[in-house]
Amino acid sequence: MPLYIALTYTADVDWTAPEQAEEMKDYGDFGRAAAAVIRGGNVLYPTATATTVHVRGGKGGDVITSDGPYAETKEALTGYYLLECADLDEAVAWAAKIPAAWNGAVEVRPVIELGN
């Protein structure tokens, strides 16, 4: 079955903070409900913890880093789920149940699995 990534975009908050406990409960509820299709996923720390990497000059060039996310937006990439679903329609149906879709957005994309 195809694999889809569901990228969650929400307010840029610290999900470990006590004030996020109720919403984290909603994510736990989703995780239990979607356990049959979830193949992985994680919550990300706030964008303030991000480091962006560029290689000037292409492969083998100078590595340049900067603090913060690559893109600055109102809603930040805050997590993801890997969903194994029969098709895009099923993946979208599950994505609509992710709490991020209620007050933010969930982007669904098919995954190309890389061979090892």
Side-chain angles (χ1 to χ4, degrees), residues 29-99:
D29 292 345
F30 169 76
R32 285 183 289 283
V37 300
I38 293 175
R39 297 296 172 261
N42 286 293
V43 175
L44 303 176
Y45 280 96
T47 58
T49 66
T51 300
T52 300
V53 179
H54 298 272
V55 179
R56 185 177 296 146
K59 183 178 179 179
D62 294 329
V63 176
I64 309 298
T65 62
S66 59
D67 293 337
Y70 178 65
E72 297 205 17
T73 62
K74 180 180 173 187
E75 294 170 334
L77 173 61
T78 55
Y80 67 93
Y81 291 96
L82 290 174
L83 307 174
E84 187 174 32
C85 298
D87 54 30
L88 179 60
D89 291 337
E90 182 184 1
V92 167
W94 280 113
K97 297 175 183 174
I98 298 172

